[in-house]
Amino acid sequence: MACRQVKAKRELIRVVRDADVRLSVDLRGKAPGRGAYLCPDDACLVRGIAEGALGRALALTIDEATKLRLRDELAAGAESRRT
Ligand SMILES: [Zn+2]
């Protein structure tokens, strides 16, 4: 868990590290690879990266480009949930 809040897994989103060590937001929660759970909001994602919790959970360093891409993916996922 890359967040201090305790919630049911179904309320969270999963960020997954695939075999190519590429991170993505796993909106269905079923992608293979090492994952970390976060609240489905931008603030939690940004804080998790800034504080290093997400990088620690996934055992890598999250660079700026990856951070921007994850934020985009999260926003896109939030968009699709509303429709
Ligand atoms: Zn959170």
Side-chain angles (χ1 to χ4, degrees), residues 21-54:
V21 199
R22 185 178 191 276
L23 297 188
S24 58
V25 176
D26 176 20
L27 295 167
R28 292 189 304 153
K30 290 183 161 69
R34 182 174 181 144
Y37 289 90
L38 287 171
C39 310
D41 63 61
D42 190 59
C44 188
L45 177 67
V46 169
R47 190 174 60 240
I49 293 170
E51 293 179 353
L54 193 60

Side-chain angles (χ1 to χ4, degrees), residues 2-72:
C3 173
R4 291 188 208 90
Q5 294 185 54
V6 178
K7 291 185 179 176
K9 270 189 181 179
R10 61 185 161 75
E11 295 177 62
L12 301 169
I13 54 141
R14 185 167 175 259
V15 176
V16 67
R17 188 184 96 170
D18 70 14
D20 298 323
V21 199
R22 185 178 191 276
L23 297 188
S24 58
V25 176
D26 176 20
L27 295 167
R28 292 189 304 153
K30 290 183 161 69
R34 182 174 181 144
Y37 289 90
L38 287 171
C39 310
D41 63 61
D42 190 59
C44 188
L45 177 67
V46 169
R47 190 174 60 240
I49 293 170
E51 293 179 353
L54 193 60
R56 274 197 301 278
L58 295 165
L60 50 69
T61 302
I62 298 171
D63 62 24
E64 194 64 24
T66 301
K67 180 173 106 175
L68 290 173
R69 191 167 49 73
L70 290 175
R71 291 180 72 184
D72 279 352

